[in-house]
Amino acid sequence: MVILALKTLSIFDFSEYAMCLVYFIEKSVLDFLDDENPQIRKLAMQTCCTLHLPSTNQMQISYNIKRIINKLLHRFFVTATTANENRIRVTMLKHL
């Protein structure tokens, strides 16, 4: 079920809901980067990379949103450089 949910999330256009999407990724998707199943970790990484986050250089974005986006990007980079699975690192680097 998790695999199907992550695949489904990665194909939807959430551009109108970019601000809410940041909170959703932080609360729901980010935890799957630590899953025991390498396929779920890889799909979580792909899902996070294909979702379009709002740009942090826009003035209307709140400090809280910027903080969360910076947290997400930090987590992505840490996962991309420290993942045990080569496929996960390669996937992350391709999407960045």
Side-chain angles (χ1 to χ4, degrees):
M1 284 300 264
V2 172
I3 293 171
L4 179 61
L6 291 170
K7 284 182 179 180
T8 303
L9 277 174
S10 67
I11 62 171
F12 277 103
D13 179 19
F14 291 103
S15 56
E16 292 182 32
Y17 308 102
M19 298 303 183
C20 297
L21 188 60
V22 172
Y23 293 110
F24 176 76
I25 291 172
E26 180 189 34
K27 299 295 182 195
S28 302
V29 180
L30 200 60
D31 290 336
F32 290 110
L33 294 176
D34 295 327
D35 197 272
E36 292 178 13
N37 184 337
Q39 185 178 8
I40 290 176
R41 288 195 311 266
K42 181 181 176 186
L43 284 171
M45 185 66 66
Q46 286 177 328
T47 300
C48 290
C49 290
T50 57
L51 298 173
H52 299 286
L53 297 175
S55 174
T56 57
N57 62 0
Q58 295 173 349
M59 295 303 285
Q60 68 268 20
I61 294 178
S62 71
Y63 172 77
N64 196 34
I65 296 287
K66 287 181 183 181
R67 181 190 57 76
I68 293 171
I69 290 173
N70 287 333
K71 174 184 170 183
L72 296 174
L73 289 173
H74 173 45
R75 181 72 181 279
F76 296 163
F77 283 117
V78 168
T79 302
T81 57
T82 62
N84 292 334
E85 289 284 323
N86 183 41
R87 294 175 304 170
I88 295 171
R89 290 192 310 266
V90 169
T91 299
M92 180 61 187
L93 294 173
K94 281 182 183 178
H95 282 89
L96 288 176

